[in-house]
């Protein structure tokens, strides 16, 4: 009787430990798969320049922008969103200011940036005031600089 009780208790403890280990492993893999999963973003692109001087000349009036350099070209972005409706709002704002704007889709995998942009999209959806939208996008671009560009360098 005592031997059976000891074996039963040992089996229960061993099963609990195995369950905890499997659960933690599953959570870790689930978390890592989210971090590595790419999400689609809409980049509000002002233009692509083959020389830094022409880019600086053509964008000197733009106070808020980010520039990505790829293959000897400079891509100028004025905003980033995950919501296509917000991308169209931003495009309209800048086109009303006289800029030719393109909406480009890009995939990124950064959980913190994803969460931040999702929250900023909620704010943009709640307003139609141009000044508020542009201020929110200024923060989004600063986030992009900090979380995406600096980590890739």
């Amino acid at each position: 009787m005592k031997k059976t009780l000891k074996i039963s208790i040992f089996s229960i403890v061993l099963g609990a430990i195995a369950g905890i280990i499997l659960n933690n492993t599953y959570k870790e893999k689930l978390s890592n798969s989210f971090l590595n999963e790419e999400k689609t973003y809409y980049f509000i692109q002002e233009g692509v320049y083959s020389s830094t001087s022409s880019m600086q000349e053509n964008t000197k009036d733009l106070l808020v922008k980010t520039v990505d350099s790829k293959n000897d070209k400079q891509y100028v972005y004025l905003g980033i969103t995950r919501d296509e409706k917000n991308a169209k709002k931003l495009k309209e704002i800048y086109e009303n200011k006289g800029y030719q704007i393109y909406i480009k889709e890009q995939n990124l995998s950064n959980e913190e940036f994803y969460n931040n942009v999702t929250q900023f999209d909620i704010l943009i959806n709640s307003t139609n005031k141009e000044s508020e939208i542009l201020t929110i996008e200024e923060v989004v671009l600063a986030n992009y600089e900090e979380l995406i560009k600096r980590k890739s360098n």
Side-chain angles (χ1 to χ4, degrees):
M1 178 77 173
K2 282 186 172 181
K3 189 175 185 179
T4 306
L5 184 61
K6 286 181 182 180
I7 291 173
S8 296
I9 292 172
F10 178 75
S11 297
I12 291 171
V13 170
L14 188 60
I17 292 170
I20 290 169
I21 291 170
L22 287 173
N23 186 39
N24 289 341
T25 302
Y26 174 75
K27 283 182 181 177
E28 185 179 314
K29 286 189 180 203
L30 185 64
S31 175
N32 287 341
S33 69
F34 180 80
L35 290 173
N36 295 328
E37 184 178 318
E38 289 194 336
K39 305 288 185 194
T40 301
Y41 296 82
Y42 299 98
F43 280 65
I44 311 310
Q45 182 178 304
E46 184 275 334
V48 179
Y49 298 91
S50 55
S51 77
T52 303
S53 60
S54 66
M55 183 268 300
Q56 289 172 340
E57 178 62 30
N58 288 328
T59 63
K60 66 184 174 201
D61 296 333
L62 293 169
L63 300 176
V64 179
K65 63 184 179 272
T66 188
V67 179
D68 283 348
S69 296
K70 298 176 193 165
N71 302 325
D72 295 328
K73 293 186 181 187
Q74 288 77 41
Y75 296 80
V76 177
Y77 301 115
L78 307 178
I80 303 169
T81 180
R82 293 216 358 95
D83 185 322
E84 190 172 9
K85 187 172 82 172
N86 288 344
K88 290 176 182 175
K89 261 189 199 181
L90 287 161
K91 180 178 180 180
E92 183 179 334
I93 288 170
Y94 282 107
E95 284 180 340
N96 288 340
K97 293 178 180 272
Y99 294 97
Q100 188 172 1
I101 300 298
Y102 306 94
I103 298 173
K104 301 289 183 177
E105 288 186 25
Q106 288 193 32
N107 294 318
L108 300 172
S109 60
N110 182 299
E111 183 178 10
E112 186 176 358
F113 186 66
Y114 169 80
N115 291 333
N116 291 346
V117 172
T118 300
Q119 292 302 311
F120 292 128
D121 278 342
I122 292 169
L123 293 174
I124 292 173
N125 279 324
S126 69
T127 186
N128 284 321
K129 291 184 179 179
E130 180 180 305
S131 62
E132 291 177 3
I133 293 170
L134 294 178
T135 300
I136 292 166
E137 279 305 310
E138 184 175 348
V139 177
V140 171
L141 292 175
N143 250 243
Y144 177 75
E145 291 278 339
E146 179 183 334
L147 298 174
I148 305 297
K149 288 179 70 174
R150 287 199 182 129
K151 285 189 177 181
S152 66
N153 289 338

